[in-house]
Amino acid sequence: MKSILKIMTLLFSASVLLSSCGNNNGKSSGNNSALNSSNAEKVYVAPGEYDEFYAFMSGGYSGNLTVYGLPSGRMFKEIPVFSQFPTTGYGYSEETKPMLNTSFGMVPWDDSHHPDISQTNGVLDGRWVFINGNNTPRIARISLKTFETEEIIEVPNSAGNHSSSFITENTEYVVAGTRFSVPVPQADLPINEYKGKFKGALSFISVDKETGRMGIKFQILMPGFNYDLSHPGRDKSHGWFFFTTYNTEEANSLLEVNASQNDKDFIAAINWKKIEEYVNNGGGTKMPANYAHNVYDEHTHTATSTMEKEVLTVNPADIPGAIYFLPTPKSPHGCDVTPSGEYIIGNGKLSADLTVHSFAKMLDAIENKKFDGDAYGIPILKYEDILAGVVKSGGLGPLHTEFDDKGNAYTTFFISSEVVKWKIGTWEVIDRKPTYYSVGHLMIPGGNSRKPFGKYVVAMNKITKDRYLPTGPELEHSAQLYDISGEKMELIYDFPTHGEPHYAAGIPADLIKGNSQKIYRLDENKHPYAITSPDQAKVTRNGKEVHISMAMIRSHFTPDNIEGVKVGDKVYFHITNHEQDFDVPHGFAMIGANNSELLIMPGQTKTLTWEPKQVGVWPFYCTDFCSALHQEMQGYVRVSPANSDIELSWSLDGE
Ligand SMILES: [Cu+2]
């Protein structure tokens, strides 16, 4: 135990040392920190021109997803997913509050980790991007037409939804693997009875081919290890999914020591096609559950939240031949599959080398029943029988691997802060370049598909100090862009990123930009409180509820002066933006509303709730500069005492 602690301390000091040799005086020197003029040209996107790629970066502790252009590194948008977002009112407006509903009630934040873009035949199709909420297990689907979150499904029996949200090559499934094993079903158990009693749920969430609608098809209740990362098989290994595990010791305290005892942990290889067949033939056990399924309807501009009450679980012991364990050097983190589907790379994060397993050898070992015991009835294959090769890299702390279009792989090393390029098949290291500092994930556009696009690698760094002008103790994280079109990698750009990007997904802009929606058609607006012309504006009272159907267009609200509202009322502003012109949202803010303001897109309806607490005449106004007369876009609500008998009245245009 002591020696492991010593190693951990050494590794930590090594990382600190490596982290402090940077550019402290603000001047650049040396090959890797200098931006020479030809590098500047490589990332320069002239005014009015477009970037070549979209990059979708997880927001980590921001709970959201950010959209960048490559190679410019310009941030285009933050898409709210699991967190309330004041900029648009997501999670504050009545229509979007249901998106954040869970079995625990509203959880207005999460920790978003790994985005993945939908695929058809193993090639990115640009329809949706999926991302996981790690804290309160959820998977979200975001439309790449509207760049809005369309659906969030909570994942029961899970905790720390980390080995997610990766998709199979026809987007048949998005997986949600639990990092923490827990009692299933949850129970009041002594924690030291962990071993054997806790389970790790790996959930396979089906995705409807046309609509994208998600549903949990089945959950595999695996032994109580930690399931860290995962990737789907593809091409020849399509039909399989691979998950790294740690804590195969099933320890329940001081895991940094106690989960490092075994020389090898496992990659779990799961034949999901076989399990799907089993389930389609009536296999599995339905178990009571309680989880939220939230869907946003783009025609009513409104989300609904439904509580699902059942989940189909599968016990691995009931499907012999569906799951195997591949021994991998201890505590592997990333689990990455080459574009051909033949190799599965496990990165033992305390190791210096990378372990590459062969899918063909794995099948062969299974066929010949060359097992080395089992864990909870799941056969363990022999390390030597499945090993394709080892990348002797000499780096420290390998984490993640992505692939280019020329048969090369790129692996990040967290402790020695570098990206290492190596050749698939010969396992030789071709190049290595430092990152500044402590790199986690990396991304090559299409790198998690049969068809990577190559050209760039983006390194996502955990520590940013010395790279930009300081902004107090908190610095945004840092991404670094490398040109990988030549034999050697070239660092060509640094840019800050928002939150803590874990994984990212990149796609050629041409696959998305033509489908991008510009407005919501007013004549398709099915929101129950939408009005399609200002003369339909009205105010109605139902007991203490006051509903205002309001229109907004440059540069006024209809109605604009409302009287007859009383202290103690609950006022709903249902506001429809009547613009039918790209990029003309209007905003709405009401003084004293205990909620956010709203930003309403052309043709959309959103609702803000306001509970007036004080008598007086209170203004509201448009928050988004929309025309030369934007400042005039305003109105008043007169609030009378609770016992007042003033009737509702309001002014329409010109009255
Ligand atoms: Cu306006």
Side-chain angles (χ1 to χ4, degrees):
M1 185 186 281
K2 266 194 184 143
S3 67
I4 287 170
L5 277 176
K6 208 183 265 172
I7 291 170
M8 301 294 292
T9 315
L10 274 174
L11 291 179
F12 180 72
S13 352
S15 82
V16 170
L17 273 176
L18 287 160
S19 298
S20 36
C21 58
N23 170 22
N24 286 317
N25 57 9
K27 288 188 185 126
S28 308
S29 62
N31 258 350
N32 294 308
S33 55
L35 269 183
N36 65 41
S37 62
S38 76
N39 284 348
E41 278 168 25
K42 284 180 182 169
V43 300
Y44 182 68
V45 177
E49 290 187 1
Y50 291 147
D51 277 281
E52 190 181 349
F53 293 95
Y54 284 96
F56 297 92
M57 299 207 188
S58 77
Y61 47 66
S62 84
N64 291 335
L65 181 70
T66 46
V67 187
Y68 289 79
L70 296 182
S72 75
R74 298 178 294 194
M75 183 175 130
F76 300 144
K77 190 182 175 85
E78 179 169 359
I79 302 171
V81 185
F82 298 111
S83 296
Q84 285 180 314
F85 193 58
T87 304
T88 58
Y90 176 87
Y92 296 97
S93 72
E94 294 304 316
E95 289 80 2
T96 53
K97 280 179 184 171
M99 291 302 280
L100 301 180
N101 189 41
T102 74
S103 60
F104 303 92
M106 188 196 214
V107 179
W109 168 84
D110 214 309
D111 174 20
S112 63
H113 271 243
H114 312 113
D116 206 9
I117 296 170
S118 56
Q119 300 181 15
T120 304
N121 297 324
V123 178
L124 303 191
D125 63 22
R127 298 203 290 165
W128 305 295
V129 56
F130 298 86
I131 191 166
N132 56 323
N134 196 32
N135 169 51
T136 305
R138 289 177 270 184
I139 298 285
R141 179 176 54 82
I142 295 144
S143 159
L144 290 180
K145 192 175 69 147
T146 59
F147 285 59
E148 298 261 6
T149 303
E150 286 190 334
E151 188 174 4
I152 293 179
I153 193 163
E154 191 183 357
V155 186
N157 299 328
S158 280
N161 177 31
H162 195 264
S163 37
S164 317
S165 54
F166 303 105
I167 55 152
T168 54
E169 68 173 26
N170 289 300
T171 321
E172 295 96 335
Y173 291 101
V174 49
V175 302
T178 195
R179 177 173 149 208
F180 309 113
S181 285
V182 290
V184 176
Q186 271 291 5
D188 176 18
L189 273 190
I191 296 167
N192 64 13
E193 291 178 13
Y194 181 113
K195 198 167 193 159
K197 290 199 178 163
F198 285 36
K199 292 266 176 278
L202 305 180
S203 307
F204 283 70
I205 299 171
S206 60
V207 178
D208 183 273
K209 273 192 164 23
E210 297 306 315
T211 62
R213 273 282 201 129
M214 299 188 287
I216 301 177
K217 175 97 172 176
F218 56 86
Q219 274 190 332
I220 309 167
L221 298 183
M222 295 286 284
F225 311 151
N226 290 50
Y227 296 84
D228 201 359
L229 274 157
S230 66
H231 265 101
R234 57 182 63 98
D235 203 339
K236 70 175 74 166
S237 54
H238 177 58
W240 289 76
F241 226 105
F242 303 93
F243 294 80
T244 42
T245 67
Y246 64 96
N247 194 21
T248 50
E249 296 83 353
E250 296 179 78
N252 62 70
S253 79
L254 203 63
L255 252 61
E256 72 270 36
V257 173
N258 293 329
S260 303
Q261 301 300 311
N262 294 345
D263 184 41
K264 296 211 168 46
D265 290 303
F266 301 126
I267 286 177
I270 295 191
N271 186 335
W272 59 259
K273 280 221 164 145
K274 194 160 189 154
I275 299 174
E276 181 185 66
E277 197 185 305
Y278 169 78
V279 162
N280 285 344
N281 289 324
T285 307
K286 282 188 179 152
M287 187 187 246
N290 188 36
Y291 60 100
H293 188 181
N294 311 331
V295 179
Y296 183 80
D297 178 328
E298 72 168 88
H299 297 292
T300 59
H301 304 289
T302 302
T304 51
S305 180
T306 309
M307 297 310 294
E308 308 271 1
K309 295 295 178 195
E310 221 172 41
V311 69
L312 186 68
T313 59
V314 166
N315 176 357
D318 295 340
I319 322 168
I323 305 177
Y324 298 91
F325 285 132
L326 320 181
T328 304
K330 69 172 73 178
S331 303
H333 189 59
C335 181
D336 300 289
V337 179
T338 53
S340 70
E342 167 56 18
Y343 299 113
I344 304 121
I345 294 130
N347 295 337
K349 61 184 183 274
L350 298 177
S351 147
D353 303 331
L354 309 179
T355 303
V356 186
H357 297 307
S358 155
F359 179 71
K361 285 187 169 183
M362 181 192 96
L363 290 185
D364 192 59
I366 292 170
E367 173 97 25
N368 294 301
K369 299 202 162 32
K370 288 168 142 179
F371 304 139
D372 191 11
D374 70 281
Y376 294 97
I378 297 170
I380 301 171
L381 301 173
K382 280 205 184 97
Y383 178 73
E384 294 73 22
D385 290 341
I386 52 172
L387 188 70
V390 170
V391 180
K392 298 272 182 198
S393 63
L396 275 177
L399 290 187
H400 300 285
T401 304
E402 288 260 295
F403 310 95
D404 69 11
D405 51 341
K406 300 184 197 79
N408 301 304
Y410 300 73
T411 300
T412 55
F413 286 78
F414 178 80
I415 295 169
S416 54
S417 288
E418 57 189 333
V419 178
V420 172
K421 174 180 178 181
W422 51 276
K423 185 114 200 113
I424 299 168
T426 68
W427 325 122
E428 64 188 310
V429 170
I430 297 169
D431 189 23
R432 56 199 322 131
K433 283 285 182 297
T435 60
Y436 308 88
Y437 312 94
S438 301
V439 62
H441 278 272
L442 76 171
M443 182 272 277
I444 291 171
N448 177 33
S449 73
R450 270 201 221 178
K451 189 189 164 199
F453 297 92
K455 198 150 184 180
Y456 300 112
V457 65
V458 181
M460 284 159 267
N461 301 340
K462 303 298 180 192
I463 295 173
T464 305
K465 61 181 175 183
D466 310 331
R467 298 308 286 177
Y468 317 119
L469 288 174
T471 53
E474 192 204 352
L475 305 173
E476 293 286 17
H477 283 239
S478 166
Q480 295 191 300
L481 185 70
Y482 297 79
D483 179 337
I484 55 167
S485 53
E487 175 82 354
K488 300 285 179 186
M489 295 178 273
E490 251 190 296
L491 174 61
I492 54 174
Y493 200 50
D494 268 18
F495 56 97
T497 52
H498 195 54
E500 187 203 345
H502 289 261
Y503 199 38
I507 183 169
D510 288 341
L511 291 175
I512 292 189
K513 69 173 198 267
N515 299 330
S516 197
Q517 187 155 326
K518 296 196 162 54
I519 60 163
Y520 294 96
R521 284 182 53 162
L522 199 54
D523 59 8
E524 289 175 357
N525 184 330
K526 301 274 191 310
H527 189 290
Y529 286 95
I531 54 172
T532 50
S533 97
D535 57 24
Q536 295 164 4
K538 62 178 185 228
V539 185
T540 54
R541 176 180 285 285
N542 178 11
K544 284 187 176 303
E545 281 186 6
V546 176
H547 291 270
I548 302 169
S549 298
M550 185 179 264
M552 62 191 345
I553 196 159
R554 282 165 284 189
S555 307
H556 63 278
F557 295 100
T558 311
D560 63 358
N561 283 324
I562 299 159
E563 305 196 13
V565 170
K566 300 175 211 174
V567 171
D569 282 346
K570 196 165 186 179
V571 180
Y572 294 89
F573 293 94
H574 306 286
I575 312 166
T576 304
N577 180 347
H578 282 194
E579 305 286 348
Q580 291 287 270
D581 193 0
F582 183 31
D583 195 27
V584 189
H586 292 288
F588 181 79
M590 179 73 225
I591 188 172
N594 297 104
N595 215 335
S596 172
E597 64 203 43
L598 300 177
L599 193 69
I600 307 166
M601 301 307 131
Q604 207 175 30
T605 304
K606 284 187 183 172
T607 302
L608 183 94
T609 311
W610 177 54
E611 295 178 71
K613 295 182 181 66
Q614 296 174 37
V615 166
V617 179
W618 307 102
F620 56 84
Y621 68 100
C622 172
T623 52
D624 185 17
F625 213 109
C626 53
S627 72
L629 296 174
H630 161 74
Q631 290 299 88
E632 282 76 357
M633 193 163 172
Q634 64 177 59
Y636 288 105
V637 180
R638 174 181 167 191
V639 177
S640 305
N643 59 2
S644 147
D645 53 10
I646 293 175
E647 286 296 306
L648 281 178
S649 66
W650 58 93
S651 56
L652 291 175
D653 295 354
E655 285 176 15

